Each structure stands twice: as structure tokens, then as C-alpha cells.
Amino acid sequence: MSAIDMMGPPQKSGSVLGWLRRNLFSSIGNTVLTVIAAYLLWLTVPPLLNFAIFDAVWTGDTREACLGEGKGACWPLVWANFDQFIYGRYPASEIWRVNIVFALGFIALVPMLIPSAPAKRFNVILLLVVYPLIALVLLAGDRPGLPPVPTSEWGGLLVTLVVAVTGIVVSLPLGIVLALGRRSSMPAIRMLSIIFIEFWRGVPLVTVLFMASVMLPLFLPEGLSPDNLLRCLVGVALFSSAYMAEVVRGGLQAIPAGQYEAARAAGLSYWQTMGLVVLPQALRHVIPGIVNTFIGLFKDTTLVLIVGIFDILGQVRAQLSDPNWTVPQGALTGYLFAGIVFWIFCFGMSQYSNFMERRLNAGRGR
Amino acid sequence: MAADTAKPMRVSDKVMIEMSGVHKWFGDFHVLKNIDLTIKEGERIVIAGPSGSGKSTLIRCINHLETHDAGKIVIDGIELTEDLKRIDEVRREVGMVFQQFNLFPHMTVLENCTLAPLWVRKMPEAEARDLAMKFLERVRIPEQADKYPGQLSGGQQQRVAIARALCMNPKIMLFDEPTSALDPEMIKEVLDVMVELAREGMTMLCVTHEMGFAREVANRVVFMDEGEIIEQAPPEEFFNAPKSERTKSFLAQILAH
């Protein structure tokens, strides 16, 4: 055995000090950056933790509990208004219906997200067809045993989720169709897709919501004005479809012409080529972009506030004017709570997309 | 490859491909000029010529990956027009192998092979799988069936591409420079599969620079330059007694080294 054969890979020292020196203090510039970063963390993190956790008031029944020098977040405010933050002005006696909708959605969604769970096709139909119908009947009511609850009484997290989930569920398929349309060889379809996409991308969501909520009823005949929330749902869904279309188009452009040619040469039709060969690859390329659009949409739902629909942020704002809970740190506490709720959902989506990316890449041995 | 002079391959009288007066332009560039070509069942045609001479375009017209602007192309009795039904009918009978393999990277080797039989021929799944395994054995890589194309070498990928095309039981196989993207040590494994296929009587059109392959299996070599068919002849005649000056200079260039 020669000396070269006996050489192993170089040993990397595993000590903490060695790691610090390599990664944080390897050069003067690196050391300066490390110090600046540490200083910024020291400036921001401890006060935040103090406010949210260590100095916070956790229990109490009235605003008096939160008054006084040096008190942090007033969590009793959140506990006391929790139902409003989650359900809005939904009648207290009917809240069980919302809870069933939340629970059913969770039960139908979880097996969908687990790649190895069986019966995906059945699950998709359950989630996209059966579940929305059940949710609609339960939430809106007006059936025997279910008194009607007008959408003007819906609010809080319920509205946030209804708007976001509708937007997400509609925008992906519609976005795919628009992206394919924009790349179609048929001029009429291509032009229609381009006009649709550029129209919706060209106007701010706030304008769309205003148009849907204020202008549309003026154009429509009396009595034929659909529900305010429904109009906003349609506006949000079409708006996000345009964005989704451009994300998907980016993925389609990454597919080499040879893939289309091989599929067509084998006799696959246009839709088979797209559905079996092109889209599975294209969508995989743009998972980060798709989830990015979902997250943006989720956060944009807060804009429905300006047309008088109270999502979770709107409910928090409305609560600030409640004299029973006017405390100096009330606004900060409320916004912190809303921020945490948004962060949980958005971070969840982002983590799931990372998981899917890793899984899909591992499956191809790359 | 030893020159196999005693060719057992038989050619029938049935016309499989008939091209007459075919023209094609890419913008202002006249890429195919008045192509007349008749190919009978069981013929093995090698199309040679300098790059940019229209060889690939010619065979891509046969399964309508390119449209011709004038003239007539009839495949096994079906004339190629803009009628989509007919184009799909022709594509079912014509297999194609590409220079860049064009395997579907998100599917396993087996799924690549069963895709078209399942969706185009509506074959039951078990039958499609058996068929795919039969052809994967024929190209000598059945053990790779569950791998993804990205895990295979270029030569293995091209053999999968051949198996994939064969799974549709095509009457005609088109090869568009099947060995040009391969490392030298992998060319032989692909050519061996093609030679075998030729011996089984498959009608083949092959654009290639592998003149050894042309000598061994072709019964006709078609030489193209600047969009025209300059001459066509059996390989012995083509290599030993080329008629046109352009053919002579082409052969001098590629056989020089």
C-alpha cells in the first residue's frame, strides 16, 4: 500500500473554539461583522423577551391587573377577547359550528400534507369539493337547525382563514390555466390570458377590494348585489391567480423543449403532455415561488379591513377602543398576538415547502 | 464493428414513408429543398451530411415535430396534414430517439417506458409493465428499472430512450444523432442495440456520423447538403464510389482521421 492510498480525508477539528474561530472570527472583517451582529441582537432581543414573557402580566380579570410601572404585555386582554379575535361577532351560541369547520379542515388537511398517507385522490375530492360545501352550510347556516349567520358577523381568524384558503385554493389551478394560456399557440387565448394577468397585476389589491365592495353595487341592478365578503373573495382569488400565473410561467419556461418533443413524439396529447410531463416538473421548480405567493396572500388578507370586514388584525384594532381594556401596552399586546398568529401560519407554510423540496429532490437521487 | 457483408435483413415492397417535393423554411432560410424520398418497410436508412444540411429537420418532419411548408409526406398510408388526429395517429406508429435522450427526469426508468402505452394505447398497467421490462431487457438494463434517469450514465439513458420508443411497438424508428452527446466509451453500447434492432427488421431512419454503423447495417445512405438530397446509394457504393464532388469532400473530411 503506497503512502497515497493510506491518506485519509483531512480531519476537521470539532471543538467549539475551533468552530468560533473558523466561522465568526476568521478575519478582521468577519470579526467586525460578528461584533455588530451581536450588538444588534443584544439591543433587540432582551427587551422583546422582557416585554413578551418576563415582565408580562399573565393572569387577571380586569385592566387593573395590567396597570403599573414596568409591566410588560397585558395577556389577560387577549384571553378576555380571545373569542372575538378568533370568531369576530359570530353569535356565541353558534361558535360550535365554526369549531367543527376548523376541526374538519384540520382532519382533511393533515393526511393531504403527509406524502405517504393513502388515498390521495379521495382526499383531494374531500378537501376541495366536499369540505367547502360542508363549511359553507355550517358557517352561513339558514338550514333546519342552523340559524343563519350573515357574513357581516363573521370576523377574526375565521375571516382571515376563509379569505386566505379560498384565495389559495382558487389561485393555483386558475394560475396554471392562465400560465398555459399565456404560452398557448392560439392568439386569442394568449391575448385573453395576457390581458387578464396584466390587468390584475396592474392594480393594487386595495383598489380591487374597493371596486368589489363599493363600486360594483353601483353598477349592478338593485337587489342583485352579492354578499360583501363573497365579492372580496372573488377579488382576492382573481388577484392572486394573476400572480400565481406568472410564478407558474417561470416554471414552464425552465422546461427544455426536448421534454415537449419527447412527449408529443410518443403520441401524448397536449393535455397529457402538460399534465403528465411538463407541469409536474415545472411546479416542482417553483415550489418556493408558489409558497411565497401563498404567504403573501395570507398576509394581504388583512386589507379586507378597509372595506369593513374584520379579519383578525381588524378585530384586534377594534378591541383597542374597548374602554374595559384600555391599558398603555394594549396596542402592543394586541399586535404582538396578531403577529404571532400570522407568523405561526406563514412559518408553517414555509417549513412545509422546504420539507417538500427536500423530499422531491431526495426522490430523484440528487 | 466488423463489416457484415452477408446482411440477413430483408426489405419488403411496402412503402412506409413517402416524401415528395417537400420544402421547408425557417424564416427566410430554405432548410429543405424539394425533398423526394421513398422508404420501404424494413429499410435501414442512414442520413449523412455536414451540420446545418437539414438532416434533423428532415426526420423531424416525419413525425411532424416540424411542419413542412410544401409537398407531401405520407407515413404508412396516412398523409401528414394539419389534422391533429392524423398527426397523433402517425406519432403512435413512429418512435423517436433524440440526441439529448429527453427522458422524463421526474419519472423512474420504468415509468418513462410505460407512460405512453398507459395513456396513449390505454394498456392495462400490468401489461404495460411487462412490455416495458421486456424492452428494458432487450437494451440490457432491466436492473435499472426503478432508478431515475439522473442516476444513469449517458449510454444507459440513451438505451432507456430506445426502450421507451419501442414500448409503443412502432413501425418506424427515427434516430436523431443518437450517439452525438455520448462519451466515446458509451457509443458502442448504444450502437449495438441499434444494430440488433436493425437485424430484427425494424424500419429505421438514422441521422448519424457513425460511418461504421452505416456500413454495417444501412441498406442505403442518403447524403444531404444545404437542404438537398445530393445522392443516395447502398453503403459500399456510397463509400467506395461516391458520384458527387460534395460527397467526396465530405467523406474525405470525416474519414480522414
mmCIF file of all heavy atoms in Angstrom, chain A residues 324-363:
data_model
loop_
_atom_site.group_PDB
_atom_site.id
_atom_site.type_symbol
_atom_site.label_atom_id
_atom_site.label_comp_id
_atom_site.label_asym_id
_atom_site.label_seq_id
_atom_site.Cartn_x
_atom_site.Cartn_y
_atom_site.Cartn_z
ATOM 1 N N ASN A 324 -63.064 48.872 28.611
ATOM 2 C CA ASN A 324 -62.772 47.938 29.679
ATOM 3 C C ASN A 324 -61.313 47.494 29.679
ATOM 4 O O ASN A 324 -60.802 47.007 30.666
ATOM 5 C CB ASN A 324 -63.649 46.688 29.556
ATOM 6 C CG ASN A 324 -65.093 47.030 29.837
ATOM 7 O OD1 ASN A 324 -65.371 47.886 30.656
ATOM 8 N ND2 ASN A 324 -65.987 46.378 29.118
ATOM 9 N N TRP A 325 -60.692 47.608 28.524
ATOM 10 C CA TRP A 325 -59.318 47.098 28.426
ATOM 11 C C TRP A 325 -58.345 48.157 27.909
ATOM 12 O O TRP A 325 -57.365 47.830 27.264
ATOM 13 C CB TRP A 325 -59.264 45.860 27.543
ATOM 14 C CG TRP A 325 -59.776 44.652 28.262
ATOM 15 C CD1 TRP A 325 -61.009 44.108 28.174
ATOM 16 C CD2 TRP A 325 -59.064 43.877 29.227
ATOM 17 N NE1 TRP A 325 -61.133 43.041 29.013
ATOM 18 C CE2 TRP A 325 -59.939 42.869 29.682
ATOM 19 C CE3 TRP A 325 -57.775 43.927 29.777
ATOM 20 C CZ2 TRP A 325 -59.570 41.937 30.635
ATOM 21 C CZ3 TRP A 325 -57.415 42.981 30.706
ATOM 22 C CH2 TRP A 325 -58.311 41.991 31.138
ATOM 23 N N THR A 326 -58.620 49.422 28.124
ATOM 24 C CA THR A 326 -57.637 50.420 27.726
ATOM 25 C C THR A 326 -56.490 50.432 28.723
ATOM 26 O O THR A 326 -56.631 50.899 29.850
ATOM 27 C CB THR A 326 -58.249 51.834 27.652
ATOM 28 O OG1 THR A 326 -59.138 51.968 28.756
ATOM 29 C CG2 THR A 326 -58.948 52.067 26.350
ATOM 30 N N VAL A 327 -55.386 49.879 28.280
ATOM 31 C CA VAL A 327 -54.166 49.922 29.087
ATOM 32 C C VAL A 327 -53.075 50.449 28.172
ATOM 33 O O VAL A 327 -53.174 50.309 26.943
ATOM 34 C CB VAL A 327 -53.800 48.519 29.623
ATOM 35 C CG1 VAL A 327 -54.771 48.130 30.716
ATOM 36 C CG2 VAL A 327 -53.775 47.506 28.499
ATOM 37 N N PRO A 328 -52.015 51.052 28.735
ATOM 38 C CA PRO A 328 -50.986 51.659 27.880
ATOM 39 C C PRO A 328 -50.363 50.668 26.905
ATOM 40 O O PRO A 328 -50.059 51.012 25.755
ATOM 41 C CB PRO A 328 -49.937 52.154 28.892
ATOM 42 C CG PRO A 328 -50.651 52.254 30.193
ATOM 43 C CD PRO A 328 -51.766 51.255 30.163
ATOM 44 N N GLN A 329 -50.165 49.431 27.360
ATOM 45 C CA GLN A 329 -49.478 48.465 26.492
ATOM 46 C C GLN A 329 -50.477 47.631 25.686
ATOM 47 O O GLN A 329 -50.115 46.617 25.105
ATOM 48 C CB GLN A 329 -48.548 47.568 27.320
ATOM 49 C CG GLN A 329 -49.225 46.616 28.297
ATOM 50 C CD GLN A 329 -49.502 47.249 29.652
ATOM 51 O OE1 GLN A 329 -49.980 48.377 29.751
ATOM 52 N NE2 GLN A 329 -49.227 46.513 30.723
ATOM 53 N N GLY A 330 -51.756 48.052 25.637
ATOM 54 C CA GLY A 330 -52.788 47.252 24.967
ATOM 55 C C GLY A 330 -52.520 47.070 23.486
ATOM 56 O O GLY A 330 -52.597 45.953 22.960
ATOM 57 N N ALA A 331 -52.167 48.173 22.778
ATOM 58 C CA ALA A 331 -51.958 48.086 21.341
ATOM 59 C C ALA A 331 -50.806 47.142 21.032
ATOM 60 O O ALA A 331 -50.916 46.239 20.193
ATOM 61 C CB ALA A 331 -51.674 49.465 20.774
ATOM 62 N N LEU A 332 -49.692 47.311 21.786
ATOM 63 C CA LEU A 332 -48.536 46.453 21.542
ATOM 64 C C LEU A 332 -48.889 44.994 21.766
ATOM 65 O O LEU A 332 -48.519 44.113 20.977
ATOM 66 C CB LEU A 332 -47.401 46.845 22.489
ATOM 67 C CG LEU A 332 -46.410 47.871 21.942
ATOM 68 C CD1 LEU A 332 -45.354 48.181 22.990
ATOM 69 C CD2 LEU A 332 -45.760 47.328 20.686
ATOM 70 N N THR A 333 -49.634 44.738 22.837
ATOM 71 C CA THR A 333 -50.007 43.356 23.154
ATOM 72 C C THR A 333 -50.865 42.763 22.041
ATOM 73 O O THR A 333 -50.620 41.644 21.569
ATOM 74 C CB THR A 333 -50.777 43.303 24.484
ATOM 75 O OG1 THR A 333 -50.005 43.950 25.473
ATOM 76 C CG2 THR A 333 -51.051 41.873 24.887
ATOM 77 N N GLY A 334 -51.858 43.551 21.617
ATOM 78 C CA GLY A 334 -52.763 43.047 20.583
ATOM 79 C C GLY A 334 -52.031 42.755 19.287
ATOM 80 O O GLY A 334 -52.196 41.683 18.682
ATOM 81 N N TYR A 335 -51.189 43.701 18.858
ATOM 82 C CA TYR A 335 -50.465 43.490 17.603
ATOM 83 C C TYR A 335 -49.472 42.343 17.713
ATOM 84 O O TYR A 335 -49.257 41.599 16.753
ATOM 85 C CB TYR A 335 -49.758 44.777 17.182
ATOM 86 C CG TYR A 335 -50.717 45.846 16.703
ATOM 87 C CD1 TYR A 335 -50.583 47.170 17.095
ATOM 88 C CD2 TYR A 335 -51.764 45.516 15.850
ATOM 89 C CE1 TYR A 335 -51.478 48.142 16.672
ATOM 90 C CE2 TYR A 335 -52.660 46.469 15.425
ATOM 91 C CZ TYR A 335 -52.521 47.785 15.830
ATOM 92 O OH TYR A 335 -53.402 48.706 15.399
ATOM 93 N N LEU A 336 -48.884 42.207 18.915
ATOM 94 C CA LEU A 336 -47.955 41.085 19.117
ATOM 95 C C LEU A 336 -48.707 39.759 18.956
ATOM 96 O O LEU A 336 -48.233 38.833 18.287
ATOM 97 C CB LEU A 336 -47.334 41.189 20.520
ATOM 98 C CG LEU A 336 -46.194 40.223 20.829
ATOM 99 C CD1 LEU A 336 -45.037 40.435 19.866
ATOM 100 C CD2 LEU A 336 -45.709 40.406 22.269
ATOM 101 N N PHE A 337 -49.885 39.708 19.520
ATOM 102 C CA PHE A 337 -50.694 38.487 19.399
ATOM 103 C C PHE A 337 -51.020 38.205 17.927
ATOM 104 O O PHE A 337 -50.819 37.095 17.427
ATOM 105 C CB PHE A 337 -51.979 38.626 20.212
ATOM 106 C CG PHE A 337 -52.957 37.507 19.982
ATOM 107 C CD1 PHE A 337 -52.717 36.243 20.509
ATOM 108 C CD2 PHE A 337 -54.113 37.711 19.234
ATOM 109 C CE1 PHE A 337 -53.612 35.218 20.296
ATOM 110 C CE2 PHE A 337 -55.011 36.668 19.012
ATOM 111 C CZ PHE A 337 -54.756 35.421 19.544
ATOM 112 N N ALA A 338 -51.509 39.255 17.216
ATOM 113 C CA ALA A 338 -51.840 39.053 15.806
ATOM 114 C C ALA A 338 -50.598 38.630 15.022
ATOM 115 O O ALA A 338 -50.649 37.725 14.188
ATOM 116 C CB ALA A 338 -52.427 40.336 15.223
ATOM 117 N N GLY A 339 -49.470 39.291 15.358
ATOM 118 C CA GLY A 339 -48.226 38.942 14.659
ATOM 119 C C GLY A 339 -47.853 37.489 14.884
ATOM 120 O O GLY A 339 -47.445 36.790 13.957
ATOM 121 N N ILE A 340 -48.003 37.016 16.132
ATOM 122 C CA ILE A 340 -47.648 35.626 16.431
ATOM 123 C C ILE A 340 -48.542 34.670 15.647
ATOM 124 O O ILE A 340 -48.077 33.679 15.082
ATOM 125 C CB ILE A 340 -47.757 35.354 17.953
ATOM 126 C CG1 ILE A 340 -46.644 36.102 18.689
ATOM 127 C CG2 ILE A 340 -47.672 33.871 18.245
ATOM 128 C CD1 ILE A 340 -46.808 36.121 20.205
ATOM 129 N N VAL A 341 -49.842 34.990 15.593
ATOM 130 C CA VAL A 341 -50.761 34.108 14.845
ATOM 131 C C VAL A 341 -50.353 34.049 13.369
ATOM 132 O O VAL A 341 -50.239 32.974 12.771
ATOM 133 C CB VAL A 341 -52.215 34.595 14.995
ATOM 134 C CG1 VAL A 341 -53.129 33.795 14.062
ATOM 135 C CG2 VAL A 341 -52.680 34.469 16.431
ATOM 136 N N PHE A 342 -50.096 35.212 12.767
ATOM 137 C CA PHE A 342 -49.680 35.218 11.363
ATOM 138 C C PHE A 342 -48.377 34.452 11.172
ATOM 139 O O PHE A 342 -48.222 33.690 10.221
ATOM 140 C CB PHE A 342 -49.518 36.665 10.858
ATOM 141 C CG PHE A 342 -50.800 37.255 10.384
ATOM 142 C CD1 PHE A 342 -51.494 38.169 11.151
ATOM 143 C CD2 PHE A 342 -51.330 36.879 9.152
ATOM 144 C CE1 PHE A 342 -52.685 38.701 10.716
ATOM 145 C CE2 PHE A 342 -52.520 37.413 8.708
ATOM 146 C CZ PHE A 342 -53.203 38.324 9.485
ATOM 147 N N TRP A 343 -47.448 34.696 12.125
ATOM 148 C CA TRP A 343 -46.144 34.050 11.973
ATOM 149 C C TRP A 343 -46.284 32.528 12.015
ATOM 150 O O TRP A 343 -45.643 31.815 11.245
ATOM 151 C CB TRP A 343 -45.209 34.525 13.083
ATOM 152 C CG TRP A 343 -43.828 34.007 12.903
ATOM 153 C CD1 TRP A 343 -42.858 34.501 12.081
ATOM 154 C CD2 TRP A 343 -43.273 32.854 13.541
ATOM 155 N NE1 TRP A 343 -41.736 33.734 12.171
ATOM 156 C CE2 TRP A 343 -41.957 32.710 13.062
ATOM 157 C CE3 TRP A 343 -43.746 31.930 14.478
ATOM 158 C CZ2 TRP A 343 -41.116 31.689 13.480
ATOM 159 C CZ3 TRP A 343 -42.906 30.912 14.878
ATOM 160 C CH2 TRP A 343 -41.610 30.799 14.394
ATOM 161 N N ILE A 344 -47.151 32.022 12.901
ATOM 162 C CA ILE A 344 -47.316 30.567 13.008
ATOM 163 C C ILE A 344 -47.778 29.993 11.666
ATOM 164 O O ILE A 344 -47.232 29.018 11.161
ATOM 165 C CB ILE A 344 -48.313 30.215 14.140
ATOM 166 C CG1 ILE A 344 -47.682 30.485 15.499
ATOM 167 C CG2 ILE A 344 -48.748 28.761 14.040
ATOM 168 C CD1 ILE A 344 -48.657 30.390 16.658
ATOM 169 N N PHE A 345 -48.773 30.629 11.059
ATOM 170 C CA PHE A 345 -49.291 30.096 9.790
ATOM 171 C C PHE A 345 -48.253 30.220 8.679
ATOM 172 O O PHE A 345 -48.008 29.275 7.924
ATOM 173 C CB PHE A 345 -50.581 30.826 9.398
ATOM 174 C CG PHE A 345 -51.794 30.312 10.125
ATOM 175 C CD1 PHE A 345 -52.251 30.916 11.278
ATOM 176 C CD2 PHE A 345 -52.462 29.188 9.654
ATOM 177 C CE1 PHE A 345 -53.348 30.439 11.954
ATOM 178 C CE2 PHE A 345 -53.566 28.697 10.324
ATOM 179 C CZ PHE A 345 -54.010 29.324 11.481
ATOM 180 N N CYS A 346 -47.623 31.386 8.564
ATOM 181 C CA CYS A 346 -46.695 31.606 7.459
ATOM 182 C C CYS A 346 -45.441 30.758 7.618
ATOM 183 O O CYS A 346 -44.945 30.173 6.657
ATOM 184 C CB CYS A 346 -46.336 33.085 7.353
ATOM 185 S SG CYS A 346 -47.763 34.082 6.926
ATOM 186 N N PHE A 347 -44.938 30.672 8.864
ATOM 187 C CA PHE A 347 -43.756 29.854 9.086
ATOM 188 C C PHE A 347 -44.076 28.389 8.811
ATOM 189 O O PHE A 347 -43.272 27.661 8.242
ATOM 190 C CB PHE A 347 -43.269 30.039 10.528
ATOM 191 C CG PHE A 347 -41.980 29.331 10.830
ATOM 192 C CD1 PHE A 347 -40.803 29.763 10.241
ATOM 193 C CD2 PHE A 347 -41.939 28.247 11.683
ATOM 194 C CE1 PHE A 347 -39.610 29.114 10.510
ATOM 195 C CE2 PHE A 347 -40.749 27.588 11.953
ATOM 196 C CZ PHE A 347 -39.585 28.025 11.363
ATOM 197 N N GLY A 348 -45.285 27.960 9.181
ATOM 198 C CA GLY A 348 -45.710 26.593 8.888
ATOM 199 C C GLY A 348 -45.674 26.315 7.397
ATOM 200 O O GLY A 348 -45.140 25.298 6.939
ATOM 201 N N MET A 349 -46.220 27.233 6.606
ATOM 202 C CA MET A 349 -46.217 27.034 5.143
ATOM 203 C C MET A 349 -44.794 26.979 4.615
ATOM 204 O O MET A 349 -44.455 26.139 3.777
ATOM 205 C CB MET A 349 -46.969 28.195 4.470
ATOM 206 C CG MET A 349 -48.476 28.095 4.610
ATOM 207 S SD MET A 349 -49.314 29.247 3.504
ATOM 208 C CE MET A 349 -49.622 30.607 4.581
ATOM 209 N N SER A 350 -43.961 27.873 5.108
ATOM 210 C CA SER A 350 -42.595 27.924 4.610
ATOM 211 C C SER A 350 -41.832 26.643 4.964
ATOM 212 O O SER A 350 -41.124 26.078 4.141
ATOM 213 C CB SER A 350 -41.928 29.182 5.159
ATOM 214 O OG SER A 350 -40.665 28.891 5.640
ATOM 215 N N GLN A 351 -42.035 26.147 6.188
ATOM 216 C CA GLN A 351 -41.352 24.920 6.583
ATOM 217 C C GLN A 351 -41.852 23.738 5.758
ATOM 218 O O GLN A 351 -41.084 22.877 5.362
ATOM 219 C CB GLN A 351 -41.579 24.631 8.080
ATOM 220 C CG GLN A 351 -40.803 25.520 8.989
ATOM 221 C CD GLN A 351 -39.315 25.500 8.663
ATOM 222 O OE1 GLN A 351 -38.822 26.425 8.029
ATOM 223 N NE2 GLN A 351 -38.613 24.474 9.051
ATOM 224 N N TYR A 352 -43.169 23.719 5.497
ATOM 225 C CA TYR A 352 -43.703 22.603 4.713
ATOM 226 C C TYR A 352 -43.122 22.629 3.305
ATOM 227 O O TYR A 352 -42.811 21.590 2.728
ATOM 228 C CB TYR A 352 -45.227 22.663 4.669
ATOM 229 C CG TYR A 352 -45.805 21.470 3.947
ATOM 230 C CD1 TYR A 352 -45.767 20.216 4.540
ATOM 231 C CD2 TYR A 352 -46.338 21.582 2.671
ATOM 232 C CE1 TYR A 352 -46.252 19.112 3.882
ATOM 233 C CE2 TYR A 352 -46.826 20.484 2.006
ATOM 234 C CZ TYR A 352 -46.784 19.250 2.621
ATOM 235 O OH TYR A 352 -47.248 18.144 1.958
ATOM 236 N N SER A 353 -42.959 23.826 2.736
ATOM 237 C CA SER A 353 -42.412 23.885 1.381
ATOM 238 C C SER A 353 -40.957 23.421 1.376
ATOM 239 O O SER A 353 -40.528 22.722 0.455
ATOM 240 C CB SER A 353 -42.564 25.292 0.805
ATOM 241 O OG SER A 353 -41.354 25.989 0.826
ATOM 242 N N ASN A 354 -40.197 23.759 2.422
ATOM 243 C CA ASN A 354 -38.821 23.257 2.499
ATOM 244 C C ASN A 354 -38.794 21.739 2.572
ATOM 245 O O ASN A 354 -37.992 21.085 1.907
ATOM 246 C CB ASN A 354 -38.119 23.823 3.747
ATOM 247 C CG ASN A 354 -37.801 25.284 3.576
ATOM 248 O OD1 ASN A 354 -37.861 25.810 2.465
ATOM 249 N ND2 ASN A 354 -37.475 25.936 4.661
ATOM 250 N N PHE A 355 -39.707 21.199 3.383
ATOM 251 C CA PHE A 355 -39.792 19.745 3.533
ATOM 252 C C PHE A 355 -40.093 19.087 2.177
ATOM 253 O O PHE A 355 -39.466 18.105 1.782
ATOM 254 C CB PHE A 355 -40.869 19.411 4.567
ATOM 255 C CG PHE A 355 -41.385 18.011 4.505
ATOM 256 C CD1 PHE A 355 -40.614 16.949 4.967
ATOM 257 C CD2 PHE A 355 -42.640 17.737 3.969
ATOM 258 C CE1 PHE A 355 -41.085 15.662 4.905
ATOM 259 C CE2 PHE A 355 -43.126 16.445 3.900
ATOM 260 C CZ PHE A 355 -42.343 15.396 4.367
ATOM 261 N N MET A 356 -41.060 19.661 1.434
ATOM 262 C CA MET A 356 -41.421 19.075 0.137
ATOM 263 C C MET A 356 -40.251 19.148 -0.835
ATOM 264 O O MET A 356 -39.990 18.207 -1.573
ATOM 265 C CB MET A 356 -42.620 19.826 -0.468
ATOM 266 C CG MET A 356 -43.965 19.425 0.102
ATOM 267 S SD MET A 356 -44.217 17.653 0.121
ATOM 268 C CE MET A 356 -44.626 17.362 -1.596
ATOM 269 N N GLU A 357 -39.545 20.288 -0.836
ATOM 270 C CA GLU A 357 -38.397 20.412 -1.734
ATOM 271 C C GLU A 357 -37.363 19.339 -1.454
ATOM 272 O O GLU A 357 -36.861 18.688 -2.363
ATOM 273 C CB GLU A 357 -37.749 21.778 -1.551
ATOM 274 C CG GLU A 357 -38.328 22.857 -2.415
ATOM 275 C CD GLU A 357 -37.636 24.168 -2.102
ATOM 276 O OE1 GLU A 357 -36.463 24.315 -2.457
ATOM 277 O OE2 GLU A 357 -38.266 25.016 -1.457
ATOM 278 N N ARG A 358 -37.030 19.185 -0.170
ATOM 279 C CA ARG A 358 -36.018 18.185 0.188
ATOM 280 C C ARG A 358 -36.482 16.803 -0.216
ATOM 281 O O ARG A 358 -35.725 16.014 -0.772
ATOM 282 C CB ARG A 358 -35.770 18.213 1.699
ATOM 283 C CG ARG A 358 -34.777 19.268 2.148
ATOM 284 C CD ARG A 358 -34.281 18.946 3.554
ATOM 285 N NE ARG A 358 -35.364 18.844 4.515
ATOM 286 C CZ ARG A 358 -35.898 19.882 5.143
ATOM 287 N NH1 ARG A 358 -35.450 21.085 4.895
ATOM 288 N NH2 ARG A 358 -36.883 19.716 6.001
ATOM 289 N N ARG A 359 -37.761 16.524 0.013
ATOM 290 C CA ARG A 359 -38.275 15.197 -0.270
ATOM 291 C C ARG A 359 -38.249 14.920 -1.779
ATOM 292 O O ARG A 359 -37.835 13.864 -2.222
ATOM 293 C CB ARG A 359 -39.706 15.083 0.250
ATOM 294 C CG ARG A 359 -40.241 13.705 0.152
ATOM 295 C CD ARG A 359 -41.633 13.586 0.692
ATOM 296 N NE ARG A 359 -42.192 12.384 0.145
ATOM 297 C CZ ARG A 359 -42.784 12.319 -1.021
ATOM 298 N NH1 ARG A 359 -42.921 13.389 -1.735
ATOM 299 N NH2 ARG A 359 -43.250 11.180 -1.477
ATOM 300 N N LEU A 360 -38.678 15.888 -2.576
ATOM 301 C CA LEU A 360 -38.717 15.679 -4.017
ATOM 302 C C LEU A 360 -37.314 15.531 -4.575
ATOM 303 O O LEU A 360 -37.074 14.754 -5.490
ATOM 304 C CB LEU A 360 -39.447 16.840 -4.691
ATOM 305 C CG LEU A 360 -40.940 16.885 -4.394
ATOM 306 C CD1 LEU A 360 -41.556 18.166 -4.913
ATOM 307 C CD2 LEU A 360 -41.629 15.688 -5.018
ATOM 308 N N ASN A 361 -36.376 16.293 -4.040
ATOM 309 C CA ASN A 361 -35.002 16.164 -4.526
ATOM 310 C C ASN A 361 -34.392 14.840 -4.128
ATOM 311 O O ASN A 361 -33.697 14.214 -4.915
ATOM 312 C CB ASN A 361 -34.150 17.320 -4.005
ATOM 313 C CG ASN A 361 -34.512 18.615 -4.690
ATOM 314 O OD1 ASN A 361 -35.039 18.593 -5.792
ATOM 315 N ND2 ASN A 361 -34.238 19.720 -4.037
ATOM 316 N N ALA A 362 -34.681 14.403 -2.895
ATOM 317 C CA ALA A 362 -34.143 13.120 -2.450
ATOM 318 C C ALA A 362 -34.663 11.999 -3.326
ATOM 319 O O ALA A 362 -33.936 11.077 -3.675
ATOM 320 C CB ALA A 362 -34.523 12.879 -0.992
ATOM 321 N N GLY A 363 -35.919 12.098 -3.747
ATOM 322 C CA GLY A 363 -36.523 11.045 -4.565
ATOM 323 C C GLY A 363 -35.839 10.863 -5.897
ATOM 324 O O GLY A 363 -35.934 9.812 -6.518
#
